[in-house]
Amino acid sequence: MLAEHTEGLFCPAGGFHIDPWGAVERAVITHAHGDHARPGSRAYLCASPSKPLLERRLGSDATIESLPYGERLALGNISLSFHPAGHILGSAQVRIEGPQGVSVVSGDYKRASDPTCTLFEVVPCDTFVTESTFGLPIYRWDATETVITEILEWWEHNARHSMASLLFCYTIGKAQRLLAELARVTDRPVLVHGMMSASIEAYRSAGIPMLQTIPLIDQPRGTSFAGELVLAPLSARGTPWMRRLGDHSDAFASGLMRVRGVRRQRAYDRGFVISDHADWPAILQTITESGAGRVLATHGHAEPLAKFLAEQGYETGTIRTAWEGEAGSDEE
Ligand SMILES: [Zn+2]
Ligand SMILES: [Zn+2]
């Protein structure tokens, strides 16, 4: 039911590619991150809440259709539907039902609750294509509340020392999740790098409650940022923009911060382990709950995950992607 093409994963019966990296006739998109939604295809189809983010990424010329979660669309002799993946706003698993059974392509997903998107839905299937960005046993996430408390304490500690707190995070998804989670524990506004404003606005338009944000660029020269929390994309690190902050502590919020070597190598003052991807136990839980007998791993640590699953008796394989790992991939 699914074949690997040079442009990406292809469903011959339905005549569409899923998250192709090349230009195709019909692209079905799991979510609006740059490693899944590439420009140049003739027509796009996504889950309804993903559409505003996809329009922003692909531009107003792109032909984008959308389908509400759970609604079925007949294409050739298969039926296609989107189901919540819990990764970012509008993220979806693609369910394909045909004469050979049901296949589900997860896209990126997580199982932890997230106030910015619909909770992951378990979709029973015969073949499950799972992401494996953090598909190694070392990856285990703490409860989100614990990490949010750590961030708040870091911010308050820096404020007591008249320092700004500069928190790097991905522009789409992570930034909004942090702003929504922090809104549960504080009502202080947060300063944001200009590159984040548009995606934050897209989430606000979708009705997601988040802390008030202030574009840092609008602040007059000479403004002190002591005591403030500032969100910025990784690409701002080391740029002259940072000089405006004055004395500050920096941190990165990512699942990658679970790895001591990465923390040390990148030399952030702090690393907050919070990810929009499933950790190792969540990947295995999801595979079990799907009921699939055949599991294909993609996007990250596909080989070790497939090997582990083969040892557990699953029929397995890997699917190549043009993008590997979280680093850089979800960054604009
Ligand atoms: Zn993603
Ligand atoms: Zn991804």
Side-chain angles (χ1 to χ4, degrees):
M1 201 142 50
L2 292 167
E4 284 185 75
H5 274 194
T6 45
E7 298 87 1
L9 199 59
F10 183 60
C11 174
F16 58 86
H17 288 77
I18 299 176
D19 292 350
W21 47 85
V24 301
E25 279 294 308
R26 176 150 222 186
V28 170
I29 301 297
T30 61
H31 66 288
H33 275 148
D35 53 334
H36 297 260
R38 310 298 302 167
S41 289
R42 193 182 296 269
Y44 294 87
L45 179 66
C46 66
S48 302
S50 185
K51 199 178 178 200
L53 291 174
L54 206 55
E55 282 170 343
R56 217 191 116 241
R57 179 172 297 285
L58 301 173
S60 49
D61 304 350
T63 305
I64 306 171
E65 289 174 282
S66 66
L67 196 64
Y69 285 135
E71 199 169 290
R72 293 192 185 190
L73 177 70
L75 290 168
N77 67 346
I78 62 107
S79 102
L80 174 152
S81 51
F82 292 109
H83 302 266
H87 173 60
I88 63 166
L89 179 63
S91 64
Q93 307 171 73
V94 180
R95 180 186 184 274
I96 305 161
E97 181 170 357
Q100 293 151 26
V102 175
S103 292
V104 169
V105 177
S106 73
D108 292 343
Y109 66 94
K110 72 172 175 292
R111 304 299 301 269
S113 79
D114 175 341
T116 69
C117 60
T118 311
L119 193 67
F120 180 94
E121 176 190 325
V122 173
V123 184
C125 57
D126 304 297
T127 298
F128 186 52
V129 179
T130 181
E131 68 134 324
S132 51
T133 303
F134 291 110
L136 290 175
I138 54 162
Y139 292 112
R140 284 159 206 268
W141 312 145
D142 293 328
T144 310
E145 296 147 52
T146 308
V147 184
I148 293 301
T149 304
E150 283 171 13
I151 293 174
L152 187 66
E153 284 170 0
W154 168 71
W155 179 7
E156 287 171 346
H157 176 269
N158 295 333
R160 282 195 297 276
H161 292 80
S162 303
M163 287 159 76
S165 301
L166 173 57
L167 183 55
F168 291 104
C169 58
Y170 294 125
T171 305
I172 299 178
K174 190 64 62 64
Q176 295 78 16
R177 185 181 177 198
L178 291 171
L179 290 167
E181 290 285 357
L182 283 167
R184 295 172 167 182
V185 293
T186 180
D187 53 11
R188 295 199 57 185
V190 174
L191 287 142
V192 295
H193 187 279
M195 266 180 68
M196 290 190 155
S197 298
S199 51
I200 291 170
E201 271 324 301
Y203 273 66
R204 286 202 200 283
S205 304
I208 310 296
M210 292 176 287
L211 284 178
Q212 188 198 337
T213 48
I214 303 165
L216 189 133
I217 199 156
D218 293 348
Q219 301 304 297
R221 287 259 156 223
T223 303
S224 165
F225 299 111
E228 305 293 346
L229 176 66
V230 183
L231 296 189
L234 283 179
S235 55
R237 199 171 189 219
T239 64
W241 175 86
M242 283 175 57
R243 274 189 230 129
R244 289 202 62 190
L245 297 177
D247 199 10
H248 66 271
S249 170
D250 74 347
F252 182 29
S254 165
L256 290 171
M257 291 294 97
R258 178 55 84 214
V259 188
R260 196 177 295 123
V262 177
R263 275 202 309 271
R264 199 180 298 133
Q265 176 203 341
R266 302 208 186 169
Y268 296 102
D269 296 324
R270 286 292 297 272
F272 297 109
V273 185
I274 182 165
S275 178
D276 289 326
H277 296 268
D279 64 2
W280 175 255
I283 291 172
L284 300 186
Q285 177 199 345
T286 304
I287 289 168
T288 305
E289 290 177 357
S290 77
R294 183 163 170 257
V295 180
L296 305 174
T298 187
H299 213 70
H301 299 285
E303 295 282 350
L305 177 61
K307 185 166 173 286
F308 176 85
L309 293 171
E311 287 160 10
Q312 310 298 307
Y314 285 94
E315 188 187 331
T316 65
T318 59
I319 291 172
R320 190 180 63 88
T321 54
W323 324 90
E324 291 306 336
E326 193 191 41
S329 65
D330 284 349
E331 175 71 344
E332 293 201 281

